[in-house]
């Protein structure tokens, strides 16, 4: 349950047992936050942004992957805070925006660190358009390893760190849920 009030509205259709289709954009809930401008647009923008983050911190949907973490990352991104966001913002910052906020802190690797196996996961539900790597390929940080399509938008899936591809689990035409291994 969630208490609504003030300039916060939550519209939703999610219910226990709902199984969203991969063929459509499954809208489980929509959070709308507004703020009176009262002559100070910058204050209103920052207030609505801060309220949005608070609402999303308290909002919980379980059983399916959502874009809540990505929305929180967008709201906290320095470019968004400054109001300097354009249509290319998500594509340009996708790797950063799709990280789980709690996992953002990285430890410095020791000089004698052993190799670590990392699974690259689909950042959202979609169809695999192309897999650009095969087992044994060496990739560099930021390199595109696959292309996913959702809602008629193709998105590159890039690796955060360089390394050697050990296994490829996804194939062109396959439907993936967010979090599925590529």
């Amino acid at each position: 349950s969630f208490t609504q009030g003030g300039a916060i509205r939550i519209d939703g259709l999610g219910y226990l047992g709902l199984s969203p289709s991969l063929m459509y954009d499954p809208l489980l809930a929509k959070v709308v936050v507004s703020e009176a401008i009262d002559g100070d647009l910058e204050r209103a923008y920052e207030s609505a942004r801060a309220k949005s983050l608070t609402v999303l911190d308290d909002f919980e949907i379980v059983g399916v992957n959502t874009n809540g973490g990505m929305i929180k990352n967008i709201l906290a991104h320095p470019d968004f805070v400054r109001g300097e966001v354009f249509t290319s913002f998500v594509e340009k910052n996708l790797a950063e925006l799709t990280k789980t906020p709690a996992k953002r802190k990285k430890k410095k690797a020791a000089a004698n660190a052993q190799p670590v196996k990392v699974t690259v996961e689909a950042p959202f539900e979609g169809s695999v358009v192309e897999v650009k790597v095969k087992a044994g390929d060496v990739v560099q940080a930021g390199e595109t390893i696959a292309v996913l399509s959702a809602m008629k938008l193709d998105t590159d899936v890039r690796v955060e760190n360089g390394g050697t591809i050990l296994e490829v689990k996804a194939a062109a035409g396959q439907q993936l849920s967010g979090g599925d291994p590529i």
Side-chain angles (χ1 to χ4, degrees), residues 109-115:
N112 61 353
Q114 296 296 313

Side-chain angles (χ1 to χ4, degrees), residues 41-50 53 71-86 89 97:
L41 182 60
E42 288 181 21
R43 183 211 51 82
Y45 178 82
E46 177 53 29
S47 178
R49 189 191 69 78
L53 280 168
I71 299 299
K72 289 194 305 190
N73 288 342
I74 290 171
L75 290 166
H77 194 280
D79 290 349
F80 191 89
V81 172
R82 290 189 304 268
E84 298 173 356
V85 178
F86 302 95
F89 172 76
L97 297 175

Side-chain angles (χ1 to χ4, degrees), residues 6-66:
I8 300 168
R9 186 180 89 227
I10 300 171
D11 299 334
L13 179 64
Y15 56 87
L16 186 62
L18 175 67
S19 180
S21 168
L22 292 176
M23 301 304 295
Y24 305 99
D25 183 13
L27 179 62
L28 300 176
K30 174 176 62 176
V31 178
V32 179
V33 177
S34 60
E35 184 65 49
I37 295 174
D38 295 330
D40 189 349
L41 182 60
E42 288 181 21
R43 183 211 51 82
Y45 178 82
E46 177 53 29
S47 178
R49 189 191 69 78
K51 284 181 185 177
S52 297
L53 280 168
T54 300
V55 169
L56 290 173
D57 283 341
D58 294 340
F59 205 81
E60 184 177 8
I61 296 176
V62 294
V64 294
N65 293 316
T66 72

Side-chain angles (χ1 to χ4, degrees), residues 110-164:
N112 61 353
Q114 296 296 313
V116 175
K117 182 178 177 180
V118 175
T119 300
V120 178
E121 299 176 343
F124 51 81
E125 296 182 27
S127 176
V128 179
V129 174
E130 178 182 8
V131 176
K132 296 185 171 227
V133 294
K134 62 185 181 311
D137 285 355
V138 175
V139 294
Q140 303 300 316
E143 188 172 334
T144 299
I145 62 162
V147 178
L148 293 183
S149 179
M151 300 301 298
K152 300 180 184 175
L153 175 67
D154 289 353
T155 304
D156 290 345
V157 178
R158 301 174 193 270
V159 291
E160 187 173 329
N161 299 301
T164 302

